[in-house]
Amino acid sequence: MSVEPVFDDGQIRLYHGDCREILPQLEAEVVITDPPYGARLYPTDTDALSPALLASWVAAYRSVAVFGWPERLVGMCVDAGVHPSEWVTWWPTNARYRGFNPRGLWRECECIAAFGDGDWTVLRQPRAVTTTPMPNRGKRIPAGKERADAQMGDVWRDESPRLNPNQRGRLHPNQKPESLMRRLISVTTGTVCDPFAGSGSTLSAARALGRRAVGIEIEESYCAVIIERLAQTSLETGVAA
């Protein structure tokens, strides 16, 4: 059964529904997504991504990048029998970003498992002067004391949107910074698909890079959030929505 997008401007398409039913009907070469973790932190966070689904993506798509908490993502890769070509740690620089873990340590980072083709050398370029904190210091470098990083490493420090996962103003409880998604998209080629579109960060990042992308979101209210966000970026970039 075919399904019609709820948003389509010629570059970005959005579908409302279950990705397990819709994704096989779509044409894409790349999957970049932040799936539910099964922690019940929000209404659709009831089940974690299954190892079988991850294995099928790795087999079917040119490039795949999946977010997750380190201990769960490692276990998922082991159960799926897949081995990432790159492993990135996302450690937000804003100190108030912390996820509560009642059984152990505070969660201060997430990981990204990347599979398949990806020109990661495009990220191994000299970076501009930065004011991000040095590891273990927790303070910003004062003006005039900036440093230039020689290369992009495997720890990315993009700030978490709205500082805190529970803070009002976030578009989604597990919202990711658009800068993070742009970096992942930039090392891939082809149409990008985000099967768990959430707040639309992947789709917005693809638009900024001039890439075609499709998103799938099961929660109707988040589809409305994404459509509004894409409409706004259409106005900013001059793309006809």
Side-chain angles (χ1 to χ4, degrees), residues 137-202:
R137 293 188 181 180
K139 295 182 179 179
R140 287 192 175 277
I141 300 170
K145 300 292 185 180
E146 299 90 350
R147 66 189 179 91
D149 289 336
Q151 295 181 343
M152 174 65 68
D154 61 359
V155 177
W156 297 356
R157 305 186 182 111
D158 306 64
E159 291 192 355
S160 177
R162 308 302 199 280
L163 298 177
N164 187 304
N166 299 315
Q167 186 167 330
R168 294 178 63 183
R170 286 172 68 89
L171 300 177
H172 187 280
N174 207 22
Q175 185 179 347
K176 294 297 182 289
E178 188 175 317
S179 59
L180 203 64
M181 314 315 285
R182 285 199 302 268
R183 200 171 304 141
L184 289 170
I185 293 171
S186 70
V187 303
T188 68
T189 57
T191 299
V192 177
C193 180
D194 187 345
F196 301 95
S199 66
S201 293
T202 305

Side-chain angles (χ1 to χ4, degrees), residues 7-92:
F7 178 91
D8 185 354
D9 67 1
Q11 180 190 1
I12 309 295
R13 282 177 290 145
L14 175 65
Y15 295 85
H16 172 226
D18 191 319
C19 69
R20 292 168 295 187
E21 300 172 358
I22 298 175
L23 186 54
Q25 303 180 49
L26 307 182
E27 293 185 3
E29 291 75 40
V30 179
V31 168
I32 296 176
T33 194
D34 181 22
Y37 297 173
R40 301 184 182 276
L41 298 176
Y42 48 92
T44 56
D45 186 28
T46 54
D47 298 302
L49 180 68
S50 73
L53 190 56
L54 174 61
S56 69
W57 289 353
V58 173
Y61 296 94
R62 181 184 302 164
S63 305
V64 176
V66 176
F67 284 77
W69 286 326
E71 69 279 13
R72 295 194 181 186
L73 193 53
V74 169
M76 188 187 304
C77 291
V78 171
D79 292 343
V82 294
H83 188 279
S85 55
E86 289 289 348
W87 189 268
V88 176
T89 297
W90 175 47
W91 175 51

